Amino acid sequence: MKRITLKDVAKACGCSANCVSRALMDAPDISAATKHTVRRTAEEMGYVINSQASALRKGNSNSIAILCDSLLNPFYSVMTHYMQSTLKSRGYNFVTFYSERETCEEKDIRQIVSAGASGLISFLAPDQKASQMLTKQKMPTVVLGRKSPCFDSVVLDNVGGGRLAAEYLLSRGATGVAYIGDHREMDCSLDRGEGYADVMKRHGLQPQSYFVDRNSTFQTIIRDILQSETQPDALFCFNDFAAYIVLQELSERGVQKAVCGFDDIRKELSFYGKMPTVGYDKQSFADKALNRLFLRIEGDKSQAVTEIQPVWLVTEQCAE
Amino acid sequence: MKRITLKDVAKACGCSANCVSRALMDAPDISAATKHTVRRTAEEMGYVINSQASALRKGNSNSIAILCDSLLNPFYSVMTHYMQSTLKSRGYNFVTFYSERETCEEKDIRQIVSAGASGLISFLAPDQKASQMLTKQKMPTVVLGRKSPCFDSVVLDNVGGGRLAAEYLLSRGATGVAYIGDHREMDCSLDRGEGYADVMKRHGLQPQSYFVDRNSTFQTIIRDILQSETQPDALFCFNDFAAYIVLQELSERGVQKAVCGFDDIRKELSFYGKMPTVGYDKQSFADKALNRLFLRIEGDKSQAVTEIQPVWLVTEQCAE
DNA sequence: TTGAAAGCGCTAACAC
DNA sequence: GTGTTAGCGCTTTCAA
């Protein structure tokens, strides 16, 4: 026994499938009486619309693709959460795709297009082939958290955040501050470092930046720093995720250093321990991206824009 | 200009749509030469299969629904991560649905059925109406993390975990241990409390259990405990999430108490601070659920079963 | 080895 | 107001 279809309901009501369809859509040219009967019968029979068929016929879909590289990264899961709420209220579903690398690749796009998504929110910057494909397929796309030359993007004020963090650590008495960035390929990693370096130079200090790459992880970097001659007494980390790893490594070695993170994920995921970090309004960050996306889905053809989300410092003092 | 379809490719190749379809599916009755031409042309034209249409025709889909109440809960996002990897390798997509409550309701199922999911992994226990609907729609379903009478479920050894936690806290010198549970409606919350109470009684101690409800949160509970006459010197919390909230509250009040959590989310999300917790193999937990689901999708009609995932204690000592 | 036709479930256009 | 017809893009069946 298969799923109940329009036809089944039509047969039970003694009318045509078309009539049932329009009654359920609340079309104006169907009599109130018919609408009533149809709805009751559909309900009783447990009819549920096949939205794939509906989408095929209507030529649109109601699903948005989200592309990231791992939901283990709390930044992605938290942002995904905020988008979920908004999307649900707009009647969209929400399909999560994983890329195998830190960029959005052609094969990711193939999957997304194939799944019939009507738009894409990508946490990863599309590489060249992926960009071509997205353009060719006319897939409305917003890059969230990374810069993108060809697509709309919504990014944090990373340079500003880096400045805030560096200023804060110096204002608290640090005499040397190092920056521990993520991969160099991530513009946000570079930008935060740029803001940091800017402040360091302004204070007459030598910036000391480290980046994750094929041969180094946050763990190896912090070990290297601890073995170096000129040890900084404070560390600005790419994000809270990295900062917690660094704190863990420090505590295991019994070393005390001031550490500042980025993202204020503690706001959503209560952790023990107060750590200075850079925060922002995540719901509004998510909504900025979605609003852009909806504009594109509705056919906006204007040039790609980059919106910048303001950030602020979150310290023990300002907590609560 | 719309998306490239089979027809378009067919026209370009000078053969029929059918032929293209079968060439791309690598059907045995298409000549190698044709296959070659078709594939090259399809590639050049940027053809991407419309899997909605394909699914409609074939009567199946390649998407699995995941139902939870919030990705802010790291348990859900971490488990979702582990499922994502396995699902991807099996060629499934992955649609996330949010329920508005802590149970899985009829309207959630409507959405999931409508979206054409071929199976459901629910982190939430279906209520009665939802259960009826799932059965009526013959939706293959596995409940993950909660018990369910009518559906397959894969749960942790919650009672055992509660015992381990209580035993551990007592072995470390605690003279009174309280349990801070989540909602009573969650069987896992009750079960962890049951294991805990069991051990307490065996030690001749009075169990002291608190549960979140309409009028209380983890915060209010910990405040109540701190104001009570007979203050326990150790706390067993429903999960790490709760435990971190409790630790935070304690630290703000300058109170020292041993706290034990559940889930070992630090394994995936490195946090600062070592806290005893109850851990388990999350990949295998996720895979148990998915394997059950695949059995059902493939047509297994046997009675609903409950699988139990073993747990163990994670303490500073074993954290190497 | 390939093509033509039918139909998955739905809705838009038009006829009555 | 309601029914009939056609067709979204694909795959299956059957004929050539």
Side-chain angles (χ1 to χ4, degrees), chain A residues 241 244 248, chain B residues 74 78 240 244 247 262-277 282 314-316 319:
Chain A
F241 201 57
Y244 282 114
Q248 182 116 10
Chain B
V78 167
D240 293 344
Y244 283 115
L247 280 171
F262 206 110
D263 283 342
D264 192 20
I265 50 173
R266 224 181 35 217
K267 186 164 188 185
E268 283 77 23
L269 316 176
S270 327
F271 299 157
Y272 174 50
K274 299 195 180 249
M275 175 181 68
T277 185
K282 298 192 187 74
V314 177
T315 63
E316 304 190 31

Side-chain angles (χ1 to χ4, degrees), chain B:
Chain B
M1 197 197 81
K2 54 177 185 44
R3 249 170 80 176
I4 308 288
T5 71
L6 275 185
K7 263 192 203 160
D8 302 322
V9 180
K11 201 174 290 171
C13 292
C15 66
S16 70
N18 180 327
C19 180
V20 175
S21 169
R22 314 180 50 182
L24 294 176
M25 294 169 77
D26 204 20
D29 57 357
I30 299 288
S31 74
T34 315
K35 277 183 190 168
H36 185 74
T37 331
V38 167
R39 286 211 194 108
R40 228 171 40 92
T41 323
E43 172 78 14
E44 273 168 15
M45 299 179 72
Y47 170 75
V48 177
I49 189 174
N50 179 333
S51 62
Q52 311 218 38
S54 165
L56 176 61
R57 177 61 239 246
K58 292 207 275 193
N60 68 8
S61 91
N62 59 153
S63 78
I64 299 288
I66 307 271
L67 180 68
C68 66
D69 59 356
S70 162
L71 281 179
L72 287 187
N73 184 329
F75 172 70
Y76 297 143
S77 60
V78 167
M79 289 303 298
T80 299
H81 164 82
Y82 283 116
M83 290 193 286
Q84 173 71 282
S85 321
T86 304
L87 283 177
K88 183 167 183 175
S89 70
R90 292 253 208 164
Y92 280 95
N93 289 329
F94 177 107
V95 193
T96 316
F97 293 87
Y98 265 32
S99 179
E100 272 152 26
R101 305 200 201 300
E102 272 122 13
T103 53
C104 157
E105 297 173 325
E106 194 180 2
K107 64 173 172 181
D108 301 318
I109 307 306
R110 289 187 74 82
Q111 277 198 61
I112 289 165
V113 170
S114 173
S118 41
L120 166 64
I121 296 283
S122 177
F123 284 114
L124 312 174
D127 66 16
Q128 210 189 341
K129 285 200 143 192
S131 299
Q132 280 170 13
M133 186 105 188
L134 283 167
T135 312
K136 189 161 185 179
Q137 302 285 347
K138 305 210 187 318
M139 173 68 69
T141 302
V142 173
V143 181
L144 177 52
R146 307 272 171 95
K147 285 182 203 160
S148 165
C150 346
F151 303 100
D152 288 339
S153 67
V154 180
V155 295
L156 294 172
D157 178 7
N158 287 305
V159 176
R163 284 205 193 100
L164 288 175
E167 287 286 8
Y168 173 74
L169 290 170
L170 290 173
S171 79
R172 303 284 292 175
T175 56
V177 182
Y179 172 58
I180 304 184
D182 204 322
H183 288 81
R184 272 177 217 278
E185 288 72 35
M186 293 160 55
D187 52 72
C188 42
S189 174
L190 291 177
D191 287 352
R192 289 171 198 182
E194 189 187 315
Y196 147 85
D198 191 27
V199 167
M200 290 294 280
K201 284 178 206 148
R202 220 157 43 197
H203 281 257
L205 295 166
Q206 180 67 27
Q208 217 181 322
S209 297
Y210 301 81
F211 294 90
V212 167
D213 58 31
R214 252 179 286 284
N215 307 310
S216 61
T217 65
F218 293 125
Q219 273 96 351
T220 64
I221 291 175
I222 181 69
R223 284 171 205 172
D224 288 349
I225 291 179
L226 290 177
Q227 284 170 8
S228 74
E229 296 287 305
T230 59
Q231 272 200 32
D233 47 7
L235 301 167
F236 168 41
C237 298
F238 172 65
N239 60 12
D240 293 344
F241 200 57
Y244 283 115
I245 293 176
V246 165
L247 280 171
Q248 182 118 10
E249 289 286 329
L250 289 176
S251 102
E252 273 172 21
R253 285 170 179 65
V255 182
Q256 275 274 354
K257 283 189 198 300
V259 173
C260 180
F262 206 110
D263 283 342
D264 192 20
I265 50 173
R266 224 181 35 217
K267 186 164 188 185
E268 283 77 23
L269 316 176
S270 327
F271 299 157
Y272 174 50
K274 299 195 180 249
M275 175 181 68
T277 185
V278 176
Y280 44 93
D281 182 336
K282 298 192 187 74
Q283 181 71 68
S284 119
F285 191 36
D287 287 343
K288 274 202 178 89
L290 290 177
N291 287 334
R292 279 260 121 233
L293 187 63
F294 290 131
L295 280 179
R296 295 296 179 180
I297 290 176
E298 285 156 14
D300 179 356
K301 298 285 181 222
S302 56
Q303 241 198 326
V305 301
T306 297
E307 291 189 57
I308 295 183
Q309 175 78 15
V311 302
W312 51 73
L313 198 66
V314 177
T315 63
E316 304 190 31
Q317 287 77 8
C318 29
E320 93 222 59

